[in-house]
Structures are given as structure tokens and as C-alpha cells.
């Protein structure tokens, strides 16, 4: 019976995952004109999995759009430095500053600043309306800034004392 | 014999003579309904139906194209279309000699694939000054256990002799031990290359931090929120946030290699990204928050971060197509392989979250016999042994966190509730369905 079924069925192939390459994701074309925004949207769709914090770096690690698109979030490379390496545009746009590597990234693995060199924050932020749910996890920014300021001040004091 | 011609949609394809061979940079993985052609070179995934899979399987057995056509009785037009499509994507080649079944090429992966212990966690004490609501310890473990320092040094030596070069000292709260520096110093002396201390940061003295800095010891600090109310509610100790931040400040002032660990729970869900940003602004490396694992006190699902947790569900094919991981996953558990955790009671378990899976006890057996015995069996827990997953075409690309599945279902061999794929129907479900299989 199964054999008969197989005889009737035409052989078919469907590409379920296109090649996601580091170079494709980080290429400057993500910031380029409308025709190429499709690529960006594909990367940035809200339903793409967030970066998994898994310390052992599961392969299915993809970043949520704000990591690519918002200028204030740092890049999160995993130890394999595969597609989930996205950079903080305002850092990487400065050619002399490297991205912060993830905790398991080898010390010598840094994101290339040039990947985003041609991007402007306004172009990244074009995609913001597509990711409204991200704010759900980002409450208390103002309070955090206050705590941060105090902590940074204390660290500076400590550093002076240590010296 | 000349090539047959197939006419379809105005195109004319020749059915080539010879044999189909899967390209050397590709692998075929058979699933229940579909099979997967993995292209490691272009990092693409191509799902094929059972007829197409049959063509490739018969080819691997050495049947020629003509033989396959006869054997399957497929119509030549669709057959030719399929061959042409596969060829155009460089997933197959046509050879004049029968293709030999491709061997899994281990070559330089051989060493990595040998059963070798490469990372250990050592819980140097079960004591802790906090009572975090999500901790993998549970109340059964609230009686304090603390191995003598000589015992820990011995474990380190035995692990080193087995080739292990990475160690994380954890607990309980490992800095509650006054001799923690002796353990770290010994690990350094016997050749551990990556030494890490996991701490809640509340008990760090300046002397200890200076020791970390001088010896370049990696420290991981758990912080649940930038917000003291939230953090203290999770840690169970009022004032713990202030103590942790004091530790954090000193670690940063002394430039200790530091990373932050944020566990996502319902209680801190709304502040996860803010907390991550807080750490980043301080220059502390930290990935996004890791959802609480269902073990120990964390087994209580009321702490599950419902909204944030949804983003951890696999609802579509999104895999890193990596040949070395693929090869490893054919033979070994994608996460546990090469790792062991030693509890304060001397129990050897495959992961700190797998508290019940005791491979042996170092007070009764040697580390070597445990690693080569029961632990090896856990390392061998590939997706081929997991129900449903064994019939999934993505099984060697997918990484496996057994404590997810085990914690939620109580079944070590259950499919992870974080995956929504049904290999029998070939369909992905919505993320909401994933965690319905509660224990």
C-alpha cells in the first residue's frame, strides 16, 4: 500500500532554510534602499527567536530585531560566531571600537566594525514599528539609568582608591 | 542507450544516464514524513518528500537512474524535474559509476569525537546564604554538604588526568568556603586553562577579588534585576541586591574577567532587557536572560516567564548548519558530551540541572570508571534515542537540553517541550502549544 502511494507521489523538494551566512546578515546592504530591505525584514521579523542565552550556545540562536535595528543594544556573539552576531550600530560605526564579545567568545573574536559602517541609526530605526512587543521586557529604563550612574560613580571611586 | 527526454511546462529535460550521487558537501537525513538534504557549503536546508527520499536512498545503494525509475515506477517528467532542481542547487551530481555510500568523514574531528571529559562543574559546597526561588538545589539538598578540600583537589587531579581543561567552581555559594583559593590555585597548577567561579557576589572580600584579578580567574555573577526589590524577592534575602552590586563594583574596579548571568522568571520578566543593558553599560558581558530550568526549586511552573519564554520555543526551522556540530550530534548528546558536574555530595551528574541523573559517586568509584561507565551512556543520549525526535529530519542539527524535557515531562527520553515540530505531519505548531505537556 505504501509502495503504491509512493509511486503516485511526485518527488519534490522545498527549501526550508536559505543559507544564513554571517556575511549576509551583517552586510551593509541591510541598510540599503528599499529593494534590499526585504533581507532586513527577513532577519528582523519579530517572530524570529531571540538570542538564546544558553551558555552552551545552541545552534538555533538568532537575534531579535532590536539587536540588529536599535542603536543601543550590543552585539551578542556566541562561541561559534555564527549568524547571531549583531553589533551595536553606534559602537561599530566608530571604526576604532570593537564589539563586546559574548561570554564564551574567544578573546580574539570581535565583530568587524566595517559591517555596519555604512548604516545610519535612522535607517535601522525604520524597522521599529515591526517590533512593538520588545518593550515588554524593557521596563524601568529611567530607574536603571539612575542605578547605573551611582554604580559607575562608585566604581570610579574604587579605582582611584586601588591606584 | 540515449538519454530519455522529459517535457514539462514547456521545458525539456534529459533524464541523464548514470548514477545520482549526493554532493560531498551534503548529507541526507531521513524523517518520518520528510527527509532533509543539508547543504553544509551553502548552509541551506532542503526538505524532500518520501518519493524524493527514496530516489536518493536507492542511489546510495548503487542503483542507476534507470533502475530507480523502474523500481519506483515514477513518471519520468517529475523525476527529471526533481533531478534538475537538485542539480541546479548542487545538491547532487550525476556520475557514470555507481555512487559509493558516503562515509561520515571524521578526519580531523576524530579527536574531538573521542569520549573525553573537557569541562566540569564542581559544587564545592551546598551551603548558600541566599534562597533563590529558582535554584536547581531544592529543599532536599538544604542539609549542608561540603567535601574536604583534599577531596576537591583529588577530583580536580582526576579530571585533569582525563584531559579536562575547563572547570567552574559553583555551589551553593562557592565563596562561602574559606579555602576556595586553594582549589583555584591547584586547578591552575595542574593545567586547567579555563577556570571560572560562579557566585552571587554577596560574599566577595577585597582579598578574594584581588586574588581573582591577579590570577585572571573568570567570574560569573548572578544578577536578577537592576531593581533591588525584584532581585531581593528572587534571592529571598532583603539587602542581597546591595551586596551583589558591591561585589560587582569591586570586580569591575579590579578588572576581573566578568560575565553576568540573568535568569528569566515571571518575577523579573519585564525588566530583563533593562537588566541586560545595565550590565552591558557597565562593560559586563552577558547574553540575554536564560529562562529558569524546571529542576530543584525551579520546577515550580508558577515562576515560568510566560511571555519571554515564548521566544525560546522553536516554531520554524532555524538552525545553524554546521558540519562539525552535525557530526558530533550523530554520535553524542549535543550538550552533555564531554561534560560532568560533581555535586557537593560527590555525585557525578551530566549537568547541574540534571540532579536526579546520578552517574556515580566519587566517594565510591573513580571518576574514570564513572565517566567511562554511566556518564558515557548519558553522553550517548543522541536524538536517535528520544521519542518523536528520532523520527525528525532535523534531529542532528537541533541541540538538546534534556533537563527541559526531563523537568517538564518526567521522562528523560521525551521530546523537548520547547519544540513544536511534528515530524509525522511535517508541520510546526505555534509557540503557545509547546509547554502544555506539564509534568
Amino acid at each position: 500500500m505504501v509502495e503504491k502511494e509512493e509511486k503516485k507521489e511526485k518527488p519534490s523538494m522545498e527549501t526550508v532554510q536559505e543559507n544564513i551566512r554571517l556575511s549576509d546578515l551583517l552586510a551593509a546592504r541591510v541598510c540599503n534602499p528599499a529593494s534590499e530591505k526585504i533581507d532586513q525584514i527577513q532577519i528582523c521579523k519579530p517572530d524570529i527567536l531571540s538570542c538564546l542565552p544558553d551558555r552552551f550556545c545552541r545552534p538555533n540562536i538568532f537575534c531579535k530585531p532590536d539587536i540588529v535595528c536599535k542603536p543601543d543594544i550590543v552585539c551578542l556573539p556566541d562561541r561559534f560566531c555564527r549568524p547571531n552576531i549583531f553589533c551595536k550600530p553606534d559602537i561599530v560605526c566608530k571604526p576604532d571600537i570593537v564589539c563586546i564579545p559574548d561570554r564564551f567568545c574567544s578573546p580574539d573574536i570581535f565583530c568587524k566594525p566595517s559591517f555596519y559602517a555604512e548604516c545610519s541609526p535612522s535607517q535601522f530605526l525604520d524597522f521599529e514599528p515591526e517590533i512593538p512587543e520588545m518593550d515588554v521586557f524593557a521596563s524601568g529604563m529611567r530607574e536603571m539609568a539612575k542605578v547605573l550612574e551611582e554604580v559607575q560613580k562608585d566604581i570610579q571611586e574604587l579605582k582611584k582608591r586601588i591606584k | 542507450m540515449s538519454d530519455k527526454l522529459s517535457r514539462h511546462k514547456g521545458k525539456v529535460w534529459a533524464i541523464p544516464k548514470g548514477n545520482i550521487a549526493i554532493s560531498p558537501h551534503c548529507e541526507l537525513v531521513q524523517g518520518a514524513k520528510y527527509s532533509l538534504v543539508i547543504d553544509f557549503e551553502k548552509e541551506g536546508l532542503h526538505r524532500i518528500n518520501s518519493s524524493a527520499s527514496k530516489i536518493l536512498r536507492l542511489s546510495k545503494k548503487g542503483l542507476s537512474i534507470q533502475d530507480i525509475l523502474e523500481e519506483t515506477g515514477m513518471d519520468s517528467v517529475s523525476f527529471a524535474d526533481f533531478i534538475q532542481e537538485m542539480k541546479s542547487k548542487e545538491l547532487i551530481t550525476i556520475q557514470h559509476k555507481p555512487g559509493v555510500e558516503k562515509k561520515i568523514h571524521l578526519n580531523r574531528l576524530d579527536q574531538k569525537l573521542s569520549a573525553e571529559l573537557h569541562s566540569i562543574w564542581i559544587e564545592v559546597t551546598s551551603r548558600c546564604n541566599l534562597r533563590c526561588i529558582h535554584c536547581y538545589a531544592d529543599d532536599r539538598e538544604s542539609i549542608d554538604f561540603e567535601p574536604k578540600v583534599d577531596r576537591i583537589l583529588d577530583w580536580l587531579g582526576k579530571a585533569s588526568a582525563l584531559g579536562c581543561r575547563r572547570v567552574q567552581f559553583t555551589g551553593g555559594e562557592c565563596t562561602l568556603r574559606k579555602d576556595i583559593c586553594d582549589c583555584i590555585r591547584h586547578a591552575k597548577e595542574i593545567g586547567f586553562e579555563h577556570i571560572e567561579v560562579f557566585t552571587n557576589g554577596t560574599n566577595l572580600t577585597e582579598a578574594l577579588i584581588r586574588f581573582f584579578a591577579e590570577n585572571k580567574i573568570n567570574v560569573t555573577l548572578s544578577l536578577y534585576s537592576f531593581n533591588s526589590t525584584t532581585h531581593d524577592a528572587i534571592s529571598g534575602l532583603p539587602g542581597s541586591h546591595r551586596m551583589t552590586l558591591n561585589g560587582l563594583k569591586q570586580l569591575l574596579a579590579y578588572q576581573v574577567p566578568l560575565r553576568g548571568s540573568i535568569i528569566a522568571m515571571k518575577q523579573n520578566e519585564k525588566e530583563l532587557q533593562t537588566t541586560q543593558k545595565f550590565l552591558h553599560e557597565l562593560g559586563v558581558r552577558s547574553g540575554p536572560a536564560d529562562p529558569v530550568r524546571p529542576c530543584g526549586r525551579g520546577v515550580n511552573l508558577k515562576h515560568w516567564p510566560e511571555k519571554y519564554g515564548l521566544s525560546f520555543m522553536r516554531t520554524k526551522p532555524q538552525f545553524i548548519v554546521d558540519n562539525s556540530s552535525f557530526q558530533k550530534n550523530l554520535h553524542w548528546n549535543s550538550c552533555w558530551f564531554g561534560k560532568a558536574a560533581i555535586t557537593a555530595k560527590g555525585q557525578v551528574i551530566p549537568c547541574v540541572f540534571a540532579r536526579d541523573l546520578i552517574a556515580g559517586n566519587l566517594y565510591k568509584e573513580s571518576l574514570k570508571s564513572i565517566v567511562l561507565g554511566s556518564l558515557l551512556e548519558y553522553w550517548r543520549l543522541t536524538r536517535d534515542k528520544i521519542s518523536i525526535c528520532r523520527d525528525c529530519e532535523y534531529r542532528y542539527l537541533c541541540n538538546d537540553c534534556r533537563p527541559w524535557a526531563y523537568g517538564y515531562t518526567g521522562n528523560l527520553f521525551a521530546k523537548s517541550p520547547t519544540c513544536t515540530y511534528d515530524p509525522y505531519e511535517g508541520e510546526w505548531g505555534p509557540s503557545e502549544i509547546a509547554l502544555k505537556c506539564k509534568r
Side-chain angles (χ1 to χ4, degrees):
Chain A
M1 186 69 184
V2 174
E3 282 298 305
K4 274 186 183 175
E5 288 286 320
E6 281 191 348
K7 279 181 187 176
K8 286 178 190 171
E9 185 189 47
K10 290 180 179 178
S12 69
M13 183 188 75
E14 169 200 1
T15 298
V16 289
Q17 184 179 303
E18 290 285 4
N19 47 328
I20 300 174
R21 290 179 178 220
L22 185 64
S23 55
D24 291 343
L25 292 185
L26 298 182
R29 67 188 162 96
V30 293
C31 313
N32 280 347
S35 62
E36 290 186 300
K37 278 186 179 177
I38 293 163
D39 294 338
Q40 175 71 354
I41 291 164
Q42 205 169 6
I43 297 163
C44 295
K45 272 183 179 174
D47 58 349
I48 287 180
L49 292 173
S50 65
C51 287
L52 294 179
D54 189 331
R55 52 196 300 172
F56 305 113
C57 296
R58 296 190 220 166
N60 59 330
I61 304 174
F62 291 88
C63 291
K64 274 194 171 175
D66 63 337
I67 289 170
V68 180
C69 300
K70 283 185 181 175
D72 59 347
I73 295 176
V74 295
C75 60
L76 300 162
D78 70 354
R79 63 177 173 173
F80 303 117
C81 278
R82 299 308 293 265
N84 62 328
I85 303 174
F86 295 93
C87 295
K88 182 179 177 180
D90 61 346
I91 283 186
V92 294
C93 287
K94 292 175 190 171
D96 56 340
I97 301 176
V98 292
C99 304
I100 299 169
D102 187 48
R103 56 195 180 185
F104 279 90
C105 215
S106 302
D108 56 340
I109 300 173
F110 294 98
C111 299
K112 287 182 187 171
S114 59
F115 284 151
Y116 277 108
E118 294 169 37
C119 304
S120 76
S122 62
Q123 284 167 314
F124 281 101
L125 290 171
D126 282 348
F127 298 100
E128 201 166 32
E130 299 202 19
I131 51 165
E133 86 284 12
M134 295 309 295
D135 290 339
V136 171
F137 311 120
S139 68
M141 279 290 183
R142 198 168 290 173
E143 294 90 325
M144 184 276 283
K146 209 173 162 186
V147 180
L148 180 68
E149 197 181 325
E150 286 168 16
V151 170
Q152 282 172 331
K153 202 174 141 191
D154 288 350
I155 292 168
Q156 291 312 317
E157 290 296 320
L158 277 168
K159 279 184 176 171
K160 278 183 203 165
R161 190 173 63 75
I162 292 164
K163 276 180 184 173
Chain B
M1 197 170 107
S2 62
D3 290 357
K4 284 185 182 176
L5 291 179
S6 289
R7 295 174 191 279
H8 183 57
K9 292 179 185 172
K11 295 174 191 166
V12 180
W13 304 125
I15 295 178
K17 285 190 292 185
N19 296 72
I20 300 166
I22 296 173
S23 297
H25 56 269
C26 295
E27 291 281 358
L28 174 70
V29 181
Q30 197 175 348
K33 183 167 184 180
Y34 293 99
S35 295
L36 195 69
V37 179
I38 307 167
D39 182 343
F40 291 108
E41 195 171 274
K42 294 180 184 158
E43 301 183 20
L45 301 179
H46 309 277
R47 190 165 84 160
I48 59 175
N49 66 6
S50 58
S51 294
S53 177
K54 190 169 184 181
I55 293 172
L56 297 185
R57 279 183 283 122
L58 291 173
S59 301
K60 283 176 98 175
K61 285 183 181 171
L63 268 69
S64 70
I65 290 169
Q66 298 303 328
D67 290 342
I68 294 169
L69 263 173
E70 282 171 25
E71 168 93 15
T72 59
M74 287 175 193
D75 78 272
S76 54
V77 173
S78 54
F79 187 93
D81 281 351
F82 171 68
I83 298 293
Q84 182 60 29
E85 196 176 1
M86 294 286 280
K87 262 182 76 180
S88 70
K89 290 192 179 288
E90 297 174 344
L91 303 174
I92 57 166
T93 57
I94 306 298
Q95 298 180 345
H96 295 297
K97 291 177 183 173
V100 180
E101 178 106 23
K102 191 150 70 85
K103 294 272 189 295
I104 299 300
H105 36 83
L106 297 176
N107 51 49
R108 65 189 179 85
L109 290 168
D110 273 350
Q111 278 190 318
K112 286 181 186 170
L113 289 175
S114 62
E116 190 178 79
L117 185 68
H118 59 69
S119 300
I120 51 167
W121 295 270
I122 300 185
E123 295 172 11
V124 294
T125 180
S126 65
R127 279 194 293 147
C128 189
N129 54 336
L130 304 183
R131 279 292 174 273
C132 300
I133 57 173
H134 66 284
C135 184
Y136 54 66
D138 67 17
D139 292 334
R140 285 176 301 171
E141 294 184 68
S142 61
I143 302 163
D144 293 338
F145 288 93
E146 200 161 281
K148 288 182 178 169
V149 68
D150 289 348
R151 187 67 76 164
I152 295 170
L153 304 190
D154 179 58
W155 295 343
L156 283 165
K158 296 281 165 43
S160 173
L162 291 174
C164 186
R165 292 292 175 267
R166 295 174 70 94
V167 60
Q168 185 191 78
F169 293 102
T170 182
E173 171 51 39
C174 66
T175 63
L176 292 177
R177 279 193 78 113
K178 287 180 181 167
D179 49 15
I180 185 68
C181 293
D182 295 336
C183 302
I184 294 168
R185 208 175 284 120
H186 184 69
K188 242 180 122 68
E189 282 167 6
I190 62 174
F192 276 86
E193 290 159 4
H194 182 91
I195 302 171
E196 187 172 70
V197 168
F198 195 100
T199 176
N200 60 36
T202 58
N203 191 47
L204 300 174
T205 62
E206 193 162 355
L208 184 59
I209 290 170
R210 203 180 300 125
F211 173 82
F212 291 156
E214 285 166 3
N215 290 281
K216 294 190 168 51
I217 302 303
N218 301 280
V219 173
T220 300
L221 186 83
S222 50
L223 181 73
Y224 308 124
S225 177
F226 70 92
N227 179 311
S228 58
T229 310
T230 308
H231 181 95
D232 290 355
I234 291 169
S235 75
L237 180 70
S240 64
H241 184 260
R242 180 180 44 79
M243 292 190 278
T244 298
L245 284 197
N246 283 340
L248 175 69
K249 290 173 200 170
Q250 291 199 72
L251 288 163
L252 287 169
Y254 275 96
Q255 296 182 308
V256 174
L258 182 63
R259 68 179 174 96
S261 169
I262 310 167
I263 306 301
M265 285 161 272
K266 190 186 279 290
Q267 288 81 349
N268 62 356
E269 186 173 20
K270 288 181 180 170
E271 298 157 1
L272 291 171
Q273 285 201 315
T274 321
T275 305
Q276 194 190 345
K277 185 171 168 56
F278 173 73
L279 289 171
H280 284 157
E281 290 293 331
L282 289 169
V284 180
R285 292 170 295 136
S286 164
D290 194 10
V292 55
R293 291 291 189 279
C295 69
R297 290 178 215 132
V299 82
N300 192 337
L301 278 172
K302 73 179 182 187
H303 300 320
W304 176 255
E306 283 181 11
K307 196 151 194 172
Y308 182 78
L310 288 179
S311 62
F312 282 77
M313 304 302 149
R314 192 188 288 278
T315 56
K316 60 163 77 168
Q318 283 181 325
F319 301 96
I320 285 185
V321 182
D322 174 75
N323 197 13
S324 61
S325 298
F326 177 89
Q327 301 293 346
K328 187 186 88 172
N329 295 348
L330 283 172
H331 306 282
W332 304 104
N333 182 280
S334 57
C335 185
W336 287 347
F337 174 59
K339 296 170 189 163
I342 303 171
T343 71
K345 293 179 195 171
Q347 294 162 333
V348 178
I349 51 180
C351 159
V352 289
F353 297 118
R355 311 301 294 181
D356 296 339
L357 306 180
I358 299 163
N361 192 306
L362 291 174
Y363 287 101
K364 295 174 185 166
E365 301 166 73
S366 72
L367 183 60
K368 189 176 180 180
S369 69
I370 295 170
V371 168
L372 296 177
S374 301
L375 193 66
L376 194 61
E377 291 309 307
Y378 288 125
W379 290 358
R380 283 182 175 145
L381 195 54
T382 65
R383 283 290 166 106
D384 290 320
K385 293 172 183 162
I386 305 301
S387 64
I388 304 176
C389 297
R390 70 168 70 98
D391 296 320
C392 176
E393 61 271 27
Y394 299 108
R395 62 189 177 276
Y396 302 125
L397 294 171
C398 182
N399 269 11
D400 190 21
C401 178
R402 282 292 85 206
W404 275 112
Y406 175 63
Y408 279 113
T409 65
N411 177 5
L412 179 61
F413 301 96
K415 179 191 167 199
S416 173
T418 59
C419 174
T420 66
Y421 187 61
D422 177 353
Y424 307 106
E425 295 297 326
E427 287 172 5
W428 295 86
S431 53
E432 286 77 5
I433 68 161
L435 285 175
K436 282 186 177 167
C437 52
K438 292 176 186 175
R439 196 170 187 171

